Structure formats: C-alpha cells, structure tokens
Amino acid sequence: MALREYDNVTAEPSTAPRESAGRISVAGIDVRRFPWIRPLSGDYAYNFAQVEGLYGGNPHDPDGWLDAVRRVQAQPRDRAGVAELLRHQQEERGAPDPARRAAAQLALPQSVAVVTGQQAGAFGGPMYTLLKAITALQLARRTEQRQGVPAVAIFWVESEDHDWEEIKSCTVLDAEFQPRTVTLADLEGAGERPVAQLTLDSGVEQTIDELAAALQQTEFTATVLGDIRAAWQPGTGMARAFAVWLERVLGPYGLVVYEAADPAAKPLVADVFVRELSSPGQTATLAARAGEELAARGHAPQVVTQADNVALFSIEDGRKAIKRSGDQLVVGERSFDVAALAQSAAASPQSFSPNVLLRPIVQDTLFPTICYVAGPSELAYLGQLRGVYEQFGVPMPLMFPRTTATLLDSGATKFLKKYDVSFSELRTPGESALNKLLESQLPAGVDESLREASAQIDAAMGRVMQALPQLDPTLTGAAKTTLGKMEHELHSLHTKVIHAAKKRHDTLRRQFVRAQAQAFPEGHPQERMLGGVYFLNKYGPGLVEILLEDLPVDAGRHWLVTL
C-alpha cells in the first residue's frame, strides 16, 4: 500500500503494516505529513521540549504519569459527592453495570480518572467522538496496569454552549459510497439556548427515517437503528439523547458518561465560580499571556481573550456572557456589584456555566483527572491554561492527543496496494489523481508514443523558430502560435486517450472512487466527516471491542485500519 508513505522518520518503532490479533491490520503515518494537522500536534508528539512548561507534564514520560497520579491523589475533593452525582445520572439513563461499577470507584481515595469530552452531536457525532472515548478507555486500562491504581474513563458531554449548527447534522455513506447528510429540524430555542435546554420534537422520527434510508442495509442495521431510536426520542433532551446512546455503545466497556449541564453538579464547583467572579478578568489575562508564550514558540494561540472577559456565562435566562466594566459586572443589559454576583454564584451555582477557559478547571475540580484526551484544537487552548490551573490551585493533568485513524475495508486496501496509490493521493480534489493512475495503466506503446510525439513537435518547431528570423523576423510569432495549436491538439488527444482508458478501466475507476469516498469523503478527513454510526452499521457493535484491543495508542501517528 504505497509503503513509501509509512517510512519511519523518527526513532519511533517501525509502523509498517501489521496484523493485529487477526482482526485488523494497521499502518501508521507520521501526523506531520498531513496539512490539516496543526504543527503544534507534531511538536507535542515528537519535540515536546518545544512546548515544555505550557502543560502539566510530558505524557511520553512514564514518570510524568506517576507524578500526575500523586498530585491528584493528594488533592482534596468531594469524592463521595461526585460518585453519588454520577450514580444518579446513570440511574436515570439505565446505564449498564460495567459503567456503574466504574463510576463507583471514583469514591475510592486512590482512584484516578482519564477524561475526554465532546459536544452532543446528532446520532453520536463524527467518528472522532468514538475515537476520543476509545483512547480514554485504553489509557485508563494502561494506567491500572502500570500504576496499580483504579483508573476510570470519563466522557464529558459538553452541552452548555448553543452552537446548534455544529451538532445538528450527521453524514454517512450510502450503498453507492456517496455522502448523505441528515439534519435535525431546528428545535425550539436552537442557537439561542444551551443545547442542554433543547428538547427533541416529533420531527426527530422523520430524521431517523432519513438516516435509515441513507445507510447501507447490513446485518447490523436493525440493532444500530434500534439504539438510535431508543436514545433520540421525542420529548428527550438533545444532550440526554447523546448521553444515552454513547452509554449504550461504550458503557459495557466501563466508560462513565457525565452530563456536564446537570444542575446537581454545580454546588460541587460553586467555589470555582465564586473565585472567577471575585477576580474578574484574571483568567482571561493569564490565558492571554500564555497565548503570547505559545506564539513566541511558533504556534498560534487557539483562544484570543479580552481583559474584560469573565470566564463564566449566566444561563438563568438564556446564555449570556459576563463582562467587567469598571468595578461592575455586566450580564446582558444588567449591571451587578462584583461581590453581589459572586454571592449569587455561591447561592445559585446552577445559574452559571464555565466558558472554554474555565471548563477544564471545573472538570478537574470534580474529577481526579490525571489525563485529558484532547483533539488538536483543544490541545492548543489547553496550552494556555497552566497559569489558570495554578491560580485555582487545581493540579493540571497530562494532555494526551486522541487517537486519529481512518477505517478502510479490505477492498480499498487491496486496491491501494495493487496500484501503489498512496493514502495522501486520495485527498487530491477532482479526478487528477485518478487520471494519473489511469495514465500509469496505459499500454506502454500509447504513452510512449504520445510523449515521443510531443518531444518531436517541440524539437521540430524549435528548429523552425530558429531559422525563420533569417527570412522574416515577424514570422516567429506565427510559429509560436502554430506550436501552441499543435500542443493544444496533442493535449486534446491525450485527454481523449484518458477518457478511453476510463471506459476501458471502468472497474479501476470505481475502485478508486470507492476508496477515495471512504478515506476523504468530499475531500475531508474521514474521522471528521462521517458519523460513528456509519461504522457501527458497517462493521457491527463489535467494532468497539476490536479498536479497544487492537488500535495502537501513539500520539504521533495517524492509523490506517483495515477491517
């Protein structure tokens, strides 16, 4: 499969294609090869010294994990309260027993957590959502084995923002490998109220029917759609539906799902809210300074803050930003004394929600987090928060980049191997990569004769243009025009040859288009474009266990997985 693309460019172990327990084969590609991967991700994986000091430790250093465990175990927190909060959420959702047993372990004083999270996307969101959760489960298992402590994987369902456009759709490939996007109709309050406050209406049933029509029918379709219908029901909250589905898929493997908008959780972090309001603008200032440091090291900051920004929202009546104005705090059109609003947060913390800068502090106040599994954008803004963690007296966890992968069926992989097509070539827009492949398949005589004809025309007309000035210098322009016409006609002939090759090699063309649609649907990385539900429908619920057991945990590689 174009093994040149998998050449080892670092001192890491070889990542040539290999079999994994007879169920999948994997091949690793250095993430720095991909233009859509931030340079920060490359430095974080291969040159951590470049970002040293911006994060809570080096996740590639075994001692870093040991230090993270010790810091978290020494930090006082309401473990019993958190365990009870999770028990109540799980009871409401009907969580499977392995997830409940995992959550109960958080009451133990020595337990630690590996946390990740994502927005509550329609029908499970993009595939990378599942990859984040699987990475967290893998790291929790590894922590138990290596550190000898109870380690729990937690998925934070982020639903206190109001970005409806980002979560309302789900894309799958149909039986012809064409992308099909299904979109929930706008719910009441969509785009204005936090997602946690949006309730599914009867229109969700029609959207699920559209999803069913878009999916290729397999032996797993009935089960997959059954799980979707059981979660996304009219009258259910959008965030709750996502949590129920994720728990059905990954709860049996011990994933603990946490609904972050739960009002019952807010009293456990009220002190964080009070401190933020008592020192308005301090979090934003610290993040801005760290952003400058990040920029000085060659990486653009993810979050650009203003000194008057407070890292909290008021959600009592919609979602409103809080800003400092002189010695007052402004919420919407209302002004408050700093002490008065801080007192309000202490008395009614359920009326407040953290923004992107404060959310990690809230998360790691609640949970004994030794590691957060981050996407590329998250990794960037988390690099601006070390000073914020110190300000709140919360240990900063390690940050581990989520596993990044592309799942291909065996037909696509065989095609790539047979014709020596590289993975990156599949991302080339249009049909230029296909035409290049078809050219390589032309009979030697055809391709050679076309090149020879082009060379002979250039040489002959070159001699003509050298001789003409002796007769009449003005004829040189006419000769150049003639050459251009001849080259145009030859190019047209070449195009006709390619079209003939496409007809002759129709099977080859279909194989290319099929592989391209899987790897880069509409030119986008698969894991960002296609919903996780597509892969569960194609490969079955057992896909989760296969990836958990066989997908490597390596921050510097993108994995091509053949199933």
Side-chain angles (χ1 to χ4, degrees):
M1 190 200 300
L3 296 185
R4 64 183 182 276
E5 191 164 25
Y6 311 136
D7 288 345
N8 192 25
V9 297
T10 71
E12 296 291 316
S14 173
T15 53
R18 62 180 176 84
E19 296 297 318
S20 296
R23 299 183 292 184
I24 65 174
S25 66
V26 295
I29 305 176
D30 189 319
V31 296
R32 291 172 292 184
R33 294 181 181 270
F34 299 137
W36 65 87
I37 296 293
R38 288 171 174 267
L40 175 62
S41 296
D43 274 350
Y44 197 86
Y46 295 108
N47 185 24
F48 192 79
Q50 179 66 15
V51 295
E52 191 89 49
L54 297 175
Y55 297 91
N58 185 350
H60 315 302
D61 180 1
D63 289 340
W65 290 82
L66 183 59
D67 290 343
V69 170
R70 288 172 176 167
R71 290 196 302 269
V72 161
Q73 289 179 336
Q75 182 79 359
R77 69 184 72 246
D78 187 355
R79 289 178 174 269
V82 170
E84 177 59 22
L85 171 70
L86 291 170
R87 187 198 66 77
H88 182 72
Q89 286 192 10
Q90 291 176 325
E91 187 71 28
E92 287 190 335
R93 294 191 301 260
D97 288 340
R100 297 190 191 212
R101 290 194 295 270
Q105 288 193 97
L106 290 169
L108 302 175
Q110 71 272 32
S111 66
V112 299
V114 177
V115 182
T116 192
Q118 192 61 39
Q119 293 170 299
F123 311 127
M127 181 60 186
Y128 67 69
T129 300
L130 288 184
L131 291 175
K132 289 179 96 172
I134 286 170
T135 307
L137 283 165
Q138 289 175 316
L139 291 173
R141 291 180 177 183
R142 192 170 77 176
T143 298
E144 287 194 340
Q145 295 167 357
R146 296 182 179 181
Q147 308 298 335
V149 296
V152 180
I154 301 173
F155 193 98
W156 178 288
V157 180
E158 180 49 59
S159 56
E160 291 195 304
D161 62 22
H162 59 280
D163 195 349
W164 173 247
E165 292 298 320
E166 190 170 338
I167 67 168
K168 69 179 184 179
S169 300
C170 177
T171 299
V172 300
L173 297 180
D174 63 17
E176 302 301 320
F177 290 89
Q178 294 299 309
R180 297 271 297 275
T181 298
V182 298
T183 302
L184 290 166
D186 289 347
L187 302 176
E188 183 180 355
E192 299 175 356
R193 287 158 40 190
V195 171
Q197 297 178 13
L198 304 182
T199 301
L200 295 167
D201 56 26
S202 59
V204 69
E205 296 175 330
Q206 179 181 339
T207 310
I208 295 175
D209 289 341
E210 293 171 2
L211 177 64
L215 286 169
Q216 180 179 2
Q217 295 299 300
T218 70
E219 61 184 298
F220 311 112
T221 303
T223 298
V224 169
L225 288 176
D227 286 345
I228 291 289
R229 293 187 190 278
W232 276 271
Q233 296 183 16
T236 301
M238 180 70 179
R240 170 57 58 89
F242 175 88
V244 168
W245 178 83
L246 187 65
E247 203 163 51
R248 289 176 78 98
V249 174
L250 290 171
Y253 303 96
L255 183 71
V256 174
V257 177
Y258 170 68
E259 295 183 67
D262 188 348
K266 300 302 178 71
L268 297 173
V269 293
D271 287 349
V272 175
F273 295 169
V274 171
R275 175 174 255 176
E276 175 63 19
L277 290 168
S278 299
S279 301
Q282 182 65 18
T283 293
T285 298
L286 290 170
R289 290 175 186 167
E292 293 171 359
E293 175 64 22
L294 195 63
R297 302 188 191 198
H299 301 292
Q302 175 69 16
V303 179
V304 178
T305 65
Q306 302 297 325
D308 63 347
N309 287 353
V310 177
L312 275 177
F313 292 100
S314 169
I315 55 173
E316 187 173 15
D317 180 23
R319 187 172 185 257
K320 296 184 175 70
I322 303 175
K323 293 190 175 183
R324 183 184 62 187
S325 178
D327 58 356
Q328 296 283 298
L329 294 176
V330 179
V331 182
E333 298 180 355
R334 301 175 62 189
S335 295
F336 298 86
D337 179 75
V338 169
L341 198 59
Q343 185 177 7
S344 177
S348 303
Q350 69 277 7
S351 298
F352 296 85
S353 167
N355 77 355
V356 67
L357 298 178
L358 200 62
R359 185 204 58 76
I361 308 302
V362 170
Q363 165 195 288
D364 302 329
T365 298
L366 283 170
F367 302 120
T369 312
I370 60 165
C371 176
Y372 181 79
V373 176
S377 295
E378 290 176 304
L379 193 64
Y381 82 74
L382 288 167
Q384 296 179 238
L385 296 187
R386 183 164 182 174
V388 179
Y389 271 95
E390 292 172 352
Q391 172 186 264
F392 283 88
V394 177
M396 188 178 194
L398 302 176
M399 307 300 169
F400 197 94
R402 69 164 174 83
T403 296
T404 173
T406 297
L407 278 57
L408 301 175
D409 60 28
S410 58
T413 300
K414 288 176 182 177
F415 164 77
L416 295 176
K417 287 181 178 179
K418 181 177 180 180
Y419 295 102
D420 195 30
V421 177
S422 73
F423 176 69
S424 296
E425 286 175 309
L426 293 177
R427 187 172 180 259
T428 305
E431 295 195 340
S432 59
L434 173 60
N435 291 342
K436 181 180 176 182
L437 173 61
L438 290 170
E439 280 189 58
S440 71
Q441 303 303 308
L442 290 174
V446 174
D447 191 46
E448 183 178 342
S449 62
L450 284 170
R451 287 199 305 270
E452 189 176 307
S454 179
Q456 289 178 352
I457 289 171
D458 286 344
M461 289 303 296
R463 290 193 296 271
V464 169
M465 283 186 282
Q466 286 180 348
L468 283 177
Q470 301 176 35
L471 176 64
D472 184 348
T474 63
L475 293 176
T476 302
K480 289 181 179 179
T481 300
T482 300
L483 175 60
K485 291 179 179 179
M486 295 172 72
E487 288 176 337
H488 174 74
E489 291 299 324
L490 194 61
H491 178 73
S492 296
L493 177 60
H494 184 268
T495 300
K496 292 177 181 179
V497 169
I498 294 298
H499 286 162
K502 287 182 179 179
K503 292 180 180 178
R504 182 176 178 180
H505 297 287
D506 189 53
T507 299
L508 176 61
R509 184 179 186 280
R510 287 198 305 270
Q511 290 174 335
F512 180 91
V513 171
R514 188 172 179 269
Q516 187 179 53
Q518 289 184 62
F520 293 98
E522 298 185 344
H524 300 288
Q526 178 199 87
E527 61 184 11
R528 298 185 184 183
M529 184 72 173
L530 298 182
V533 66
Y534 166 75
F535 299 96
L536 295 173
N537 177 70
K538 184 172 183 176
Y539 299 109
L543 172 66
V544 170
E545 182 176 352
I546 291 173
L547 296 179
L548 272 172
E549 297 296 333
D550 300 337
L551 188 61
V553 183
D554 185 337
R557 299 282 168 175
H558 178 87
W559 298 102
L560 298 190
V561 180
T562 303
L563 293 117

